Amino acid sequence: MEVSNSSDDTINFYMDQATITTNTGEQLEPDLLTSDHIGGVFIGAVNKSGSVRYMLESSDPNEIEWVRVLINAPHDANFESLGHDIDVQIDF
């Protein structure tokens, strides 16, 4: 994932805490121990990039046809939303 704060304002955005669901019915949280830290506080116009990893619990990887990624909107220091939640499906 690549994340950018294009404003000069400080924001909080937690891409690395995105929840995913799969066509096989699993809902998964990221494996924080093996994922890169690309979320948190973005002080001004900064960029972060890295990998977020999810470990399937009961599905065969060959059965995965799509993954739905759900990410909470960024927010300011007062927890006011600065945009919309992200909900995207990635087809394989």
Side-chain angles (χ1 to χ4, degrees):
M1 295 183 181
E2 294 183 22
V3 188
S4 297
N5 177 10
S6 59
S7 75
D8 291 327
D9 299 328
T10 298
I11 67 166
N12 299 290
F13 195 32
Y14 296 94
M15 293 277 297
D16 54 357
Q17 294 180 15
T19 300
I20 66 168
T21 62
T22 70
N23 63 287
T24 59
E26 286 197 69
Q27 177 175 319
L28 302 166
E29 303 299 323
D31 182 17
L32 298 177
L33 294 175
T34 61
S35 295
D36 296 325
H37 180 69
I38 57 172
V41 178
F42 288 69
I43 302 172
V46 296
N47 304 306
K48 295 183 182 183
S49 64
S51 297
V52 179
R53 294 175 178 87
Y54 298 83
M55 303 299 180
L56 294 172
E57 295 173 359
S58 59
S59 299
D60 178 339
N62 296 317
E63 296 175 352
I64 304 297
E65 297 173 4
W66 55 260
V67 173
R68 183 176 171 203
V69 183
L70 302 121
I71 305 166
N72 292 328
H75 59 84
D76 64 16
N78 296 319
F79 295 98
E80 294 292 325
S81 180
L82 299 173
H84 300 284
D85 291 344
I86 297 168
D87 184 343
V88 63
Q89 181 172 307
I90 302 168
D91 296 313
F92 299 107

